[in-house]
Amino acid sequence: MPTTERRYVIRLACPDRTGIVAAIAGFLAEAGGWIVEAAYHTDPETNWFFTRQEVRADSLPFDVAELRERFGAVARGLHAQSDWSVTDTGGRRRVVILVSKEGHCLYDLLGRVQSGELDVDVRAVVGNHTDLAAITRAHGIPFHHVPFPACEPEGKRAAFAQLRQLVDAAKPDAVVLARFMQVLPPELCADWAGKALNIHHSFLPSFVGARPYHQAHRRGVKLIGATCHYVTAELDAGPIVEQDVIRVDHRDSVVDMVRKGRDIEKVVLARGLRAHLESRILLHGNKTVIL
Amino acid sequence: MPTTERRYVIRLACPDRTGIVAAIAGFLAEAGGWIVEAAYHTDPETNWFFTRQEVRADSLPFDVAELRERFGAVARGLHAQSDWSVTDTGGRRRVVILVSKEGHCLYDLLGRVQSGELDVDVRAVVGNHTDLAAITRAHGIPFHHVPFPACEPEGKRAAFAQLRQLVDAAKPDAVVLARFMQVLPPELCADWAGKALNIHHSFLPSFVGARPYHQAHRRGVKLIGATCHYVTAELDAGPIVEQDVIRVDHRDSVVDMVRKGRDIEKVVLARGLRAHLESRILLHGNKTVIL
Amino acid sequence: MPTTERRYVIRLACPDRTGIVAAIAGFLAEAGGWIVEAAYHTDPETNWFFTRQEVRADSLPFDVAELRERFGAVARGLHAQSDWSVTDTGGRRRVVILVSKEGHCLYDLLGRVQSGELDVDVRAVVGNHTDLAAITRAHGIPFHHVPFPACEPEGKRAAFAQLRQLVDAAKPDAVVLARFMQVLPPELCADWAGKALNIHHSFLPSFVGARPYHQAHRRGVKLIGATCHYVTAELDAGPIVEQDVIRVDHRDSVVDMVRKGRDIEKVVLARGLRAHLESRILLHGNKTVIL
Amino acid sequence: MPTTERRYVIRLACPDRTGIVAAIAGFLAEAGGWIVEAAYHTDPETNWFFTRQEVRADSLPFDVAELRERFGAVARGLHAQSDWSVTDTGGRRRVVILVSKEGHCLYDLLGRVQSGELDVDVRAVVGNHTDLAAITRAHGIPFHHVPFPACEPEGKRAAFAQLRQLVDAAKPDAVVLARFMQVLPPELCADWAGKALNIHHSFLPSFVGARPYHQAHRRGVKLIGATCHYVTAELDAGPIVEQDVIRVDHRDSVVDMVRKGRDIEKVVLARGLRAHLESRILLHGNKTVIL
């Protein structure tokens, strides 16, 4: 993201008790750390604590590796298990985008990258159709075509294997399903857990699965929505990151809903991706805490 | 509604064909009718036509009864069956409100009535608890207490019989379930079809049934909603009249959601009721056309 | 727009009186015209009448030229002066887009064109900088660079002359100022009246003129907005076509506001342009009636 | 507010430097303080730091007076001047509401008080008309009538003196101008600085002053708004606490705008008042930081 200065981002979730803020703040203060942003959340139901803090890199006398090591000791003292991270805003985040035929989300993301708003390295775009190859390549980004046969389990398995190879080779910080119309197999969901973001074109949990605008039209709803969520093995049931809606009425056909819906899909996906790349999202069971 | 001048409202739905607008407009023009508001809708899927028109009462040389009779001939010519109506804004609409313990919707409606915004005659408020008796009576409106036993089918049946009697005696144009927590039996749904409006505290079809805010909290949605719909025998599945949403996040407990949700429940119910009383809603299968 | 069938769009504004709907509907019915969409509006303050109707082209026994001639007689009978039009959805609308350095609106429009959502012929993009030349040309659209000197009245005049020539040569149905940062001279505003659409990055009439996000930040507003309006000689004071807002808070710097604002700017511009190209906008003094 | 447990709320603003969070958190941890909610904000432009923290009262071995004294030393060490406070959620907040003729905001607030959502002690309602006396008294709240002569400076001065006396006698934590149509004199603005909240029926800074809906209607905006702000000597120019908008279109007369606007006025005022009473608002020049 367009931070003018390099920062280290600390994220931690642990059982709640007194003194956590003091422990972290004391650790940082002792090292001279200048906190530029800090957010806390306590969940009273589960008695769990969450925090995210941004520290000016130049305020610390050591590098990110040493911060990670030193903070690890603090985290262990707070029984945080593996539920913490220290990231460096200095390096550009790597992203792979999966697409099908519909281009509105891809156009939107590429526009944000081109303007510098989304300061990421799009390593590749992978599509099961070639419709979006030209616009991808016009931005100097590799486009890979991986066709998915409709009804051949064998061919589909092979396609997913190829997809996985292309994605994993890029070592992405985020895998963005930008209206990719294939359902990921459970093992991919597991391996990409917490980094694969999908945009579903409904206000979940309404209208799970195929053709949600058709479902919405049939039910006669007065608002349609879009949901950005982490991909999990259960279809459209992963932790929700962001949602929004737009008003429709009896005059809107399914085609109109598809058109209006696109405008929220792309902005909901972009907001969700931004939160993910800025390390703002902590998972809490099947829910998200966004700090 | 605060119309300065008396109007007749014509509503009609019929199979679409050429010449419908001309037939109606010609009929009105011939009689000197001054149309102050006119709306049309055509559903291309079902090939059905819908219209609503407001005519200045003083522009016609006959009264509403004669307009109804004359327009009936036009409607029959358009094969509208019983799907048309002519109403007079001159008479105040009669409303009965059903409540339980929560008062936000009732307060909101009474405030609108008191200010003249909602120019209706609230004939009665019926509650299965007495919490809202005082505020009702402070407005000079009769409050009836009909207790509903929790687990006695017999007692419940008797309570519904009493409820029906109280409601039907008022000959209401609208029966408003303003957070009335009892599920109406099928025969009441049938008898009050098209005039019983419920406010459900979720963005339907998500979170049908009991405790929708608890369901929403568990799912981790980022927006909560409210839905005003006509009551039908299938729970929370009737034609949707109006919906709206409000943003929530991980900091919001169920109690916070309940509080935030109230602010949309009351406004969604008020908007839905207004559309109903202004004869703006035409049913189209399980959907609404609001003109 | 993606209409499956060709239609003729009739627009008319005239003094209100009884019988207008009948006159128009009667005229169309007599010719066998199948009305697929019809909207009416009466302004009680000015006693003015507005309508827009879509008729299936294949339902009429004559072409658009003859419809225009015949309808002209009806319009004259209604004292509509020049305030009416008949357009044919069969021909693609021609658009010229003016840009500067910021590309979010252009990206958005090109994405809509590429997907077929916006079925227009973008004749040219003209920029006072070259930043957006590549993405324009990647879509096979001519990009013209017209530099505007900062403080030379003479040079600026020459630049506007060149701009006008490029635009007028394209005979556009719409001139879209997609974050074009130059203020059009009065004579261009006059000549392009009713077809030049600007997107202003504030919720007008707040924050007219330069650097509206800076103004918004200084005032501490809790929502920022965007406004699509017709360009007139008075800066940011033309008839408003569409507006929307997005929530901000104390954490948002001017840079954040700029980023968040872009997401509404582009969608507000796209909605406004769509309404314009579908001939939905009728001017009423300095206001718009959108049917 | 409906907190199940008593809490102490600490608010502080001071010049930013490293170690502030550690200083506060260390102080609290040492005393065994259990932080249930904590929020921080740093303004990079002015280099100023803001925090609000909620501590469980029963986690501290001393009472609020001693916490205030001890925290005072911390605050002085951080050069916070007088810009800090420690409040106790245990005592109910005292509120005085000023009204005129329009009752929607008062109804809304009384409904929230009655339901327990707004757990405050409404000491009095003061009106320059008697329209709202009955509903106020139906809630067991004293209503005072203070007539304001239209054009007599002397009489107006006397009325304001009486108003001040009534308000100050109640020692309110908040003075709520719930569509009170009189402009407070500068000395009252000064004396009630930071506790007098007004609801203005426009999206400020648009449409300052009288009849904002008329102004909005004349300009032809597509959204109307409401703004809750602290009262200052300059009319409608105080620090903005909360804003919201609602969509309107060409069909909406001024009367419709007034009606639609009420629904946002009351909710915006209620949200602003809630934030104020929960000690969430810190002033930063003419802006608010809401934590």
Side-chain angles (χ1 to χ4, degrees):
Chain A
M1 310 303 101
T3 37
T4 41
E5 52 188 6
R6 189 171 174 179
R7 297 171 180 191
Y8 300 141
V9 179
I10 293 171
R11 245 187 336 178
L12 172 135
C14 66
D16 198 15
R17 65 163 173 81
T18 56
I20 303 179
V21 179
I24 300 172
F27 161 75
L28 287 171
E30 203 168 307
W34 183 293
I35 301 172
V36 282
E37 201 182 311
Y40 299 88
H41 174 61
T42 302
D43 185 59
E45 259 175 66
T46 54
N47 219 32
W48 218 255
F49 173 92
F50 303 83
T51 188
R52 176 188 181 276
Q53 314 210 13
E54 285 193 16
V55 185
R56 283 176 55 170
D58 62 10
S59 71
L60 289 173
F62 39 72
D63 69 0
V64 70
E66 190 165 343
L67 173 60
R68 198 172 285 127
E69 197 185 305
R70 289 183 183 217
F71 185 75
V74 178
R76 275 185 301 278
L78 297 168
H79 304 288
Q81 312 291 350
S82 66
D83 223 4
W84 63 273
S85 68
V86 175
T87 49
D88 183 348
T89 67
R92 288 174 87 214
R93 298 309 194 89
R94 286 183 307 276
V95 171
V96 174
I97 304 175
L98 311 188
V99 299
S100 188
K101 287 178 172 184
E102 288 221 54
H104 54 286
C105 288
L106 181 66
Y107 257 83
D108 185 76
L109 293 174
L110 293 178
R112 292 174 200 270
V113 170
Q114 189 269 350
S115 73
E117 175 193 314
L118 196 61
D119 186 24
V120 300
D121 185 2
V122 182
R123 303 293 296 170
V125 174
V126 185
N128 61 336
H129 292 276
T130 55
D131 304 57
L132 301 170
I135 183 68
T136 301
R137 287 172 185 149
H139 286 80
I141 297 167
F143 181 92
H144 305 289
H145 179 216
V146 178
F148 278 72
C151 334
E152 285 175 55
E154 197 60 32
K156 220 161 188 175
R157 236 179 335 258
F160 274 118
Q162 192 191 345
L163 174 69
R164 174 203 284 269
Q165 204 172 28
L166 286 164
V167 170
D168 290 351
K171 297 191 194 315
D173 296 293
V175 184
V176 181
L177 285 74
R179 295 300 308 276
F180 180 64
M181 304 305 285
Q182 301 292 322
V183 178
L184 296 190
E187 63 277 12
L188 269 190
C189 295
D191 290 358
W192 295 347
K195 70 178 177 187
L197 281 168
N198 184 44
I199 180 73
H200 182 73
H201 39 315
S202 86
F203 182 65
L204 288 175
S206 286
F207 312 132
V208 163
R211 296 160 63 94
Y213 291 126
H214 287 77
Q215 296 183 51
H217 189 260
R218 206 172 311 121
R219 181 63 185 93
V221 292
K222 299 298 182 187
L223 297 164
I224 52 172
T227 303
C228 175
H229 63 93
Y230 283 113
V231 177
T232 56
E234 191 185 340
L235 186 64
D236 300 329
I240 292 172
V241 174
E242 172 66 347
Q243 300 188 291
D244 215 336
V245 294
I246 193 168
R247 195 158 277 273
V248 291
D249 66 28
H250 59 268
R251 289 170 296 188
D252 291 297
S253 65
V254 171
V255 169
D256 294 322
M257 288 187 174
V258 167
R259 173 174 52 80
K260 292 188 174 179
R262 279 188 209 120
D263 282 347
I264 43 171
E265 289 169 36
K266 58 195 188 191
V267 78
V268 163
L269 177 59
R271 281 190 216 139
L273 177 58
R274 184 178 185 85
H276 174 81
L277 293 174
E278 292 185 347
S279 304
R280 295 192 178 277
I281 310 176
L282 290 105
L283 288 178
H284 187 209
N286 199 43
K287 295 160 70 171
T288 58
V289 172
I290 303 183
L291 298 177
Chain B
M1 311 304 100
T3 38
T4 41
E5 52 188 8
R6 189 170 174 180
R7 297 173 180 188
Y8 300 140
V9 179
I10 294 171
R11 246 183 339 176
L12 171 135
C14 67
D16 199 15
R17 64 163 173 83
T18 55
I20 303 178
V21 178
I24 300 172
F27 161 75
L28 287 170
E30 205 167 305
W34 183 292
I35 302 172
V36 282
E37 202 183 311
Y40 299 89
H41 173 63
T42 302
D43 184 61
E45 260 175 64
T46 55
N47 218 32
W48 219 256
F49 173 90
F50 304 84
T51 188
R52 175 189 182 276
Q53 314 209 14
E54 285 192 17
V55 185
R56 281 176 56 170
D58 61 11
S59 71
L60 289 173
F62 38 72
D63 69 0
V64 69
E66 188 163 345
L67 173 60
R68 198 172 285 127
E69 197 185 306
R70 291 184 182 215
F71 185 75
V74 178
R76 276 187 299 277
L78 297 168
H79 305 287
Q81 314 288 351
S82 66
D83 226 3
W84 64 273
S85 67
V86 175
T87 50
D88 183 347
T89 67
R92 288 174 87 214
R93 300 307 195 90
R94 288 183 306 276
V95 172
V96 174
I97 305 175
L98 312 188
V99 300
S100 188
K101 289 178 170 183
E102 289 221 53
H104 55 286
C105 287
L106 181 65
Y107 258 83
D108 185 75
L109 293 174
L110 293 178
R112 292 174 200 269
V113 171
Q114 189 270 348
S115 73
E117 174 193 316
L118 196 61
D119 186 23
V120 300
D121 184 2
V122 182
R123 303 292 298 170
V125 174
V126 185
N128 61 335
H129 294 275
T130 55
D131 304 57
L132 301 170
I135 183 68
T136 300
R137 289 173 184 149
H139 285 79
I141 297 167
F143 181 91
H144 306 289
H145 179 214
V146 179
F148 279 73
C151 335
E152 283 175 55
E154 197 59 32
K156 222 163 185 172
R157 237 181 329 261
F160 274 119
Q162 193 190 346
L163 174 69
R164 173 205 285 267
Q165 204 172 28
L166 286 164
V167 170
D168 289 352
K171 296 193 196 314
D173 297 293
V175 184
V176 181
L177 285 73
R179 296 301 307 277
F180 181 63
M181 305 306 284
Q182 300 292 323
V183 178
L184 297 190
E187 63 278 11
L188 270 190
C189 296
D191 289 359
W192 295 347
K195 70 178 176 187
L197 281 168
N198 184 44
I199 179 72
H200 183 73
H201 38 314
S202 86
F203 182 66
L204 289 175
S206 287
F207 313 134
V208 163
R211 293 159 66 91
Y213 291 126
H214 286 79
Q215 297 183 50
H217 189 258
R218 206 171 312 120
R219 182 61 187 94
V221 291
K222 299 298 183 188
L223 297 164
I224 52 172
T227 303
C228 175
H229 63 94
Y230 283 113
V231 177
T232 56
E234 190 184 342
L235 186 64
D236 301 330
I240 292 172
V241 174
E242 172 65 347
Q243 302 188 289
D244 214 337
V245 294
I246 193 168
R247 195 158 276 274
V248 292
D249 66 27
H250 59 267
R251 288 169 297 188
D252 291 299
S253 65
V254 170
V255 169
D256 295 322
M257 287 185 174
V258 167
R259 172 174 52 79
K260 292 188 174 180
R262 278 188 211 121
D263 282 347
I264 42 171
E265 289 167 36
K266 60 194 186 192
V267 77
V268 163
L269 177 58
R271 280 190 217 138
L273 177 58
R274 184 179 186 83
H276 174 81
L277 293 175
E278 292 184 347
S279 305
R280 296 191 177 277
I281 311 177
L282 291 105
L283 288 178
H284 186 209
N286 199 42
K287 295 160 70 170
T288 58
V289 171
I290 303 182
L291 298 178
Chain C
M1 312 307 102
T3 37
T4 40
E5 51 188 7
R6 190 170 172 179
R7 298 173 179 188
Y8 300 141
V9 179
I10 294 171
R11 247 185 336 178
L12 172 135
C14 67
D16 198 15
R17 64 162 173 83
T18 54
I20 303 179
V21 178
I24 300 173
F27 161 75
L28 288 171
E30 204 167 306
W34 183 292
I35 302 172
V36 281
E37 202 182 310
Y40 299 88
H41 174 62
T42 302
D43 185 61
E45 260 175 66
T46 55
N47 219 32
W48 219 255
F49 173 91
F50 304 84
T51 188
R52 176 189 182 275
Q53 313 210 14
E54 286 193 17
V55 184
R56 282 176 57 170
D58 61 11
S59 71
L60 289 173
F62 37 73
D63 69 0
V64 70
E66 189 165 343
L67 173 60
R68 198 173 285 126
E69 198 185 304
R70 290 183 181 216
F71 185 74
V74 177
R76 276 187 301 278
L78 298 168
H79 306 286
Q81 314 288 350
S82 65
D83 225 4
W84 63 274
S85 67
V86 175
T87 49
D88 183 347
T89 66
R92 288 174 86 213
R93 300 307 196 87
R94 286 183 308 276
V95 172
V96 173
I97 304 174
L98 311 188
V99 299
S100 188
K101 288 178 170 183
E102 288 220 56
H104 54 286
C105 287
L106 181 65
Y107 257 83
D108 185 75
L109 293 174
L110 293 178
R112 292 174 200 269
V113 171
Q114 189 269 350
S115 73
E117 174 192 316
L118 197 60
D119 185 24
V120 300
D121 185 1
V122 182
R123 304 293 297 171
V125 174
V126 185
N128 62 336
H129 293 276
T130 56
D131 303 58
L132 300 170
I135 183 68
T136 301
R137 288 174 184 146
H139 286 79
I141 297 166
F143 181 92
H144 305 290
H145 179 214
V146 178
F148 279 74
C151 336
E152 283 175 55
E154 196 60 31
K156 221 161 185 174
R157 235 177 336 257
F160 275 117
Q162 192 189 345
L163 174 68
R164 173 205 284 269
Q165 205 172 29
L166 285 164
V167 170
D168 289 351
K171 298 194 195 312
D173 296 293
V175 183
V176 182
L177 285 74
R179 297 298 308 275
F180 180 63
M181 304 305 286
Q182 301 291 323
V183 178
L184 296 190
E187 63 277 13
L188 270 189
C189 295
D191 289 359
W192 296 346
K195 70 179 177 185
L197 281 168
N198 185 44
I199 179 74
H200 183 73
H201 38 315
S202 86
F203 182 63
L204 288 175
S206 287
F207 312 133
V208 164
R211 294 159 64 93
Y213 291 126
H214 287 78
Q215 297 182 51
H217 190 258
R218 206 171 312 121
R219 181 61 186 93
V221 292
K222 300 297 183 188
L223 297 164
I224 53 172
T227 303
C228 175
H229 63 95
Y230 283 113
V231 177
T232 57
E234 190 185 340
L235 186 64
D236 300 331
I240 293 172
V241 174
E242 172 65 347
Q243 301 189 289
D244 215 337
V245 295
I246 194 169
R247 196 158 276 273
V248 292
D249 66 27
H250 59 267
R251 289 169 297 187
D252 290 298
S253 65
V254 170
V255 169
D256 294 323
M257 286 185 176
V258 167
R259 172 173 53 79
K260 291 187 174 180
R262 278 188 210 120
D263 282 347
I264 42 171
E265 289 168 36
K266 58 194 188 192
V267 77
V268 164
L269 177 58
R271 281 189 216 139
L273 176 58
R274 183 179 187 83
H276 173 81
L277 293 174
E278 291 185 348
S279 305
R280 296 191 177 277
I281 310 177
L282 290 106
L283 288 178
H284 186 209
N286 199 43
K287 295 161 70 170
T288 58
V289 172
I290 303 183
L291 297 177
Chain D
M1 310 303 102
T3 38
T4 41
E5 52 189 8
R6 189 171 174 179
R7 297 173 179 189
Y8 300 141
V9 178
I10 294 171
R11 246 185 338 176
L12 172 136
C14 67
D16 198 15
R17 65 162 173 83
T18 55
I20 303 178
V21 179
I24 300 172
F27 160 76
L28 287 171
E30 204 168 306
W34 182 293
I35 302 172
V36 281
E37 201 183 310
Y40 299 89
H41 174 61
T42 302
D43 185 60
E45 260 175 64
T46 55
N47 219 32
W48 218 256
F49 173 92
F50 304 84
T51 189
R52 176 188 182 276
Q53 313 209 12
E54 285 192 17
V55 185
R56 282 175 56 168
D58 62 10
S59 72
L60 288 173
F62 38 71
D63 69 0
V64 70
E66 189 164 344
L67 173 60
R68 199 172 284 126
E69 197 185 306
R70 289 182 184 217
F71 185 75
V74 177
R76 276 187 300 278
L78 297 168
H79 306 287
Q81 313 290 350
S82 66
D83 225 4
W84 63 273
S85 68
V86 175
T87 48
D88 183 348
T89 66
R92 288 174 87 214
R93 298 310 195 86
R94 286 184 306 277
V95 171
V96 174
I97 304 175
L98 312 187
V99 299
S100 189
K101 289 178 171 183
E102 288 222 52
H104 54 286
C105 288
L106 181 65
Y107 257 84
D108 185 76
L109 293 174
L110 293 178
R112 292 174 201 271
V113 170
Q114 189 269 350
S115 73
E117 174 194 315
L118 197 61
D119 185 24
V120 300
D121 185 0
V122 182
R123 304 292 297 171
V125 173
V126 186
N128 61 336
H129 293 276
T130 55
D131 304 57
L132 300 170
I135 183 69
T136 301
R137 288 173 185 149
H139 286 79
I141 297 167
F143 181 91
H144 305 290
H145 179 215
V146 179
F148 278 73
C151 336
E152 283 175 55
E154 197 59 33
K156 221 162 187 174
R157 240 185 324 265
F160 274 118
Q162 193 190 346
L163 174 69
R164 173 205 285 269
Q165 205 172 27
L166 285 165
V167 170
D168 289 352
K171 296 192 195 315
D173 296 293
V175 183
V176 181
L177 286 74
R179 295 301 307 276
F180 181 63
M181 303 306 285
Q182 301 292 322
V183 177
L184 297 190
E187 63 278 12
L188 269 189
C189 295
D191 290 358
W192 295 346
K195 70 178 177 188
L197 282 168
N198 185 44
I199 180 72
H200 183 73
H201 39 313
S202 87
F203 182 66
L204 289 175
S206 287
F207 312 132
V208 163
R211 295 159 63 92
Y213 291 126
H214 287 79
Q215 297 182 52
H217 189 259
R218 205 171 313 120
R219 182 61 186 94
V221 292
K222 299 298 183 187
L223 298 164
I224 52 172
T227 303
C228 174
H229 63 93
Y230 283 114
V231 177
T232 57
E234 191 185 340
L235 186 64
D236 300 329
I240 293 171
V241 174
E242 173 65 347
Q243 301 187 289
D244 215 336
V245 294
I246 193 168
R247 195 159 277 273
V248 292
D249 66 27
H250 59 266
R251 288 170 296 188
D252 291 299
S253 65
V254 170
V255 169
D256 295 321
M257 287 186 174
V258 167
R259 173 173 52 80
K260 292 187 174 180
R262 279 188 210 122
D263 282 347
I264 43 171
E265 288 168 37
K266 58 194 187 190
V267 77
V268 163
L269 177 58
R271 281 190 215 139
L273 176 58
R274 184 178 186 84
H276 173 81
L277 293 174
E278 292 185 346
S279 304
R280 296 191 177 278
I281 310 177
L282 291 106
L283 288 177
H284 187 208
N286 199 43
K287 294 159 72 170
T288 58
V289 171
I290 303 183
L291 298 177

